Amino acid sequence: MGVVASTVAAAAPGARFIELRRVSKTFESGDGSRTEALQALDLEVREREFVSILGPSGCGKSTLLRIIAGLMSFDGEDVVVDGESVSRPRQDVGVVFQTANLLPWRNVAANLALGVEIRGESLDSARLAAMVEMLGLTGFESRYPHELSGGMKQRVALGQALVRDPKLLLLDEPFGALDALTRDKLNIELLRIWQAEQKTVVLVTHSITEAVLLSDRVLVLSGRPGKVIEDVGIDLPRPREPRTTRQSPEFSRLVGYLGELMGVV
Amino acid sequence: MKHQVVRHALQSGAFFLALGLLWEGSVRVFEIRSYLLPPLSAIVRELVSSRALLFRHLFITLEEVLLGFVLAVLGGALMAVAVFFIPIAKRTIYPLLIGLQSIPKVGLAPLIVVWFGYGVTSKVVMSFLFAFFPIVISALGGLAGTPSHLVEHFRALGAPPWITFWKLRVPSALPSFVDGCKVAMPLAVIGAVVGEFVGSNEGLGNLILLSTSSSRGSLTFAALAAVTALSLGLFAIVAGLGKWVWWRAQ
């Protein structure tokens, strides 16, 4: 369907990892009115693939992510992650939400450790140091959330998901609440981290440039009820260097095309 | 900065000194009888000369208050957890609690003394009754006020219920619980003193009652000062311990 048919990544994506078959979701509010958030949605993500879900606000993007995470019930056929039907959250999945869910009584190190503590493990100091280094948080290990900027909090939230060494990372507009500069910076960091860790990632976003810069594939959702209206392969070479990637004509073409699809151009 | 702190302290000090002098002066000028209002100096003298007597009664009241308060803290926390997690408790025990709370506890005091006797026990019960409710309500509010985005986050992390309880709900309820304890501490003192008023052989409440009926105004005021100091001291200890819980779950 997409203008770019082939999907080429540095490491070619592997076997099918996530599959949604005809998934619907209807919310019923207190007064009995029903809102259809998703309608018979099909979706497939391959192993080690970075897929962004792009759509207007209120189109059910976050609902979709919560269903994949096992946080929300759904109607329809099936949701499969790594060969298993999803019925509740899995230990090998990391979720990062728009608000950094940090515990105010724990410092950075302890908030990072929470990711594995919940499995009854502890975070050894070498791994903690490596994570802190990768997130660019060196020197902030013993700071508390109220002493951190919004961008730093999101780094910690991302780190808390990464220390679990998840097979799948679900990101729900993780940088959506940040200013444009911080957001750009964190996208570059995320690109670097993904290129080092090669997880399967599903990113929900409403930023077209963010989606194009990071993804192997962008799924465009329609307005409510959400359906995949376009599946766009992002054929930019990997590893991507943020500056040159953004300056390439292919990048502008994809951004323009997606903008047209979403009706912003 | 430091200069300003000193100046502010001097202002407060001057105010209270003036108030004390006004008291002392008016009592002397208007020749107020000492069983009505003794001069400040007489109360200070009484505090010194009757210190052994005051301390004996103070320790009795302290014992009653501490027992009542500690039981209220433990019982209140347990009750809040039970009401929060057991749906049937919310429909049965919780309305019962609200109903009981609505009974004026001062009115209950004579019954409590009849039931539990003239000794320490009835005052512990009174102290407990005064302190219990604010602790339950604050702990319950704290548990229920755990931010829902954090609860969802723990679910996303696959946390079992007891981990969510210990690592999320308890710490996020603690600030509110500490506030409840701060409210409850002076109430526990009031409860014990009310119990002593209604029927007792000892304690500061008893001393206030006896000294008033024997027209020893300065001793009454000295005993009042001792109760106040006890209440303030215990509050300061609770507030000091509460500083350990510095965070607010947002």
Side-chain angles (χ1 to χ4, degrees), chain A:
Chain A
M1 284 285 279
V3 280
V4 184
S6 61
T7 302
V8 183
R16 183 159 56 198
F17 196 75
I18 304 176
E19 193 187 5
L20 273 70
R21 287 197 299 267
R22 301 188 61 74
V23 168
S24 303
K25 177 76 191 177
T26 304
F27 290 102
E28 207 163 318
S29 61
D31 58 8
S33 64
R34 294 157 70 87
T35 312
E36 206 173 9
L38 300 171
Q39 192 189 55
L41 185 138
D42 294 309
L43 185 151
E44 215 182 279
V45 177
R46 306 197 150 264
E47 207 170 352
R48 292 192 307 281
E49 198 176 17
F50 195 125
V51 173
S52 288
I53 297 173
L54 198 62
S57 49
C59 72
K61 306 185 290 278
S62 294
T63 304
L64 181 59
L65 204 80
R66 280 181 163 75
I67 287 172
I68 300 173
L71 286 167
M72 201 179 257
S73 66
F74 58 91
D75 316 305
E77 260 175 56
D78 208 0
V79 174
V80 180
V81 171
D82 198 14
E84 276 175 53
S85 283
V86 172
S87 56
R88 61 188 143 102
R90 299 165 55 112
Q91 281 296 345
D92 55 2
V93 172
V95 189
V96 181
F97 296 99
Q98 184 171 349
T99 46
N101 289 312
L102 304 181
L103 301 181
W105 51 87
R106 283 176 176 242
N107 63 20
V108 168
N111 263 300
L112 286 172
L114 183 72
V116 291
E117 225 178 275
I118 276 173
R119 299 199 288 229
E121 300 161 24
S122 59
L123 192 61
D124 62 85
S125 52
R127 182 138 168 69
L128 173 71
M131 186 55 71
V132 164
E133 159 101 52
M134 180 165 80
L135 296 165
L137 289 167
T138 309
F140 289 89
E141 294 89 336
S142 47
R143 295 291 180 90
Y144 285 87
H146 71 270
E147 302 170 304
L148 303 177
S149 68
M152 282 178 150
K153 284 188 212 172
Q154 283 309 119
R155 286 166 199 254
V156 179
L158 184 63
Q160 194 188 67
L162 287 173
V163 293
R164 292 158 71 79
D165 197 16
K167 285 190 190 159
L168 170 63
L169 207 50
L170 299 173
L171 310 174
D172 186 5
E173 297 194 43
F175 312 136
L178 305 176
D179 62 277
L181 274 174
T182 313
R183 185 176 186 145
D184 278 352
K185 221 177 139 206
L186 284 183
N187 277 328
I188 293 166
E189 303 268 318
L190 183 59
L191 185 64
R192 184 176 54 80
I193 291 167
W194 183 80
Q195 279 167 175
E197 302 247 322
Q198 298 271 311
K199 311 274 184 203
T200 310
V201 179
V202 178
L203 168 74
V204 160
T205 181
H206 53 242
S207 160
I208 295 172
T209 50
E210 182 174 292
V212 174
L213 176 67
L214 297 170
S215 315
D216 297 314
R217 208 144 56 85
V218 176
L219 304 176
V220 181
L221 253 60
S222 64
R224 199 183 298 138
K227 281 189 90 155
V228 179
I229 52 169
E230 192 77 61
D231 183 340
V232 181
I234 305 298
D235 201 6
L236 297 164
R238 285 199 194 266
R240 290 176 192 164
E241 201 280 309
R243 252 205 17 225
T244 51
T245 303
R246 280 199 189 117
Q247 283 162 355
S248 73
E250 182 65 5
F251 184 87
S252 329
R253 198 186 60 76
L254 285 162
V255 168
Y257 176 66
L258 286 166
E260 240 172 86
L261 277 176
M262 292 183 65
V264 291
V265 186

Side-chain angles (χ1 to χ4, degrees), chain B residues 9-24:
Chain B
L10 280 176
Q11 281 170 349
S12 306
F15 173 74
F16 286 106
L17 186 68
L19 210 63
L21 287 174
L22 186 71
W23 179 346
E24 186 76 30

Side-chain angles (χ1 to χ4, degrees), chain B residues 139-181:
Chain B
L140 207 49
L143 286 171
T146 308
S148 57
H149 64 95
L150 289 179
V151 176
E152 187 185 40
H153 182 54
F154 267 65
R155 221 154 65 75
L157 288 169
W162 68 89
I163 293 221
T164 306
F165 177 72
W166 281 116
K167 291 189 191 277
L168 176 61
R169 290 206 186 268
V170 168
S172 95
L174 274 177
S176 166
F177 178 69
V178 167
D179 287 345
C181 291

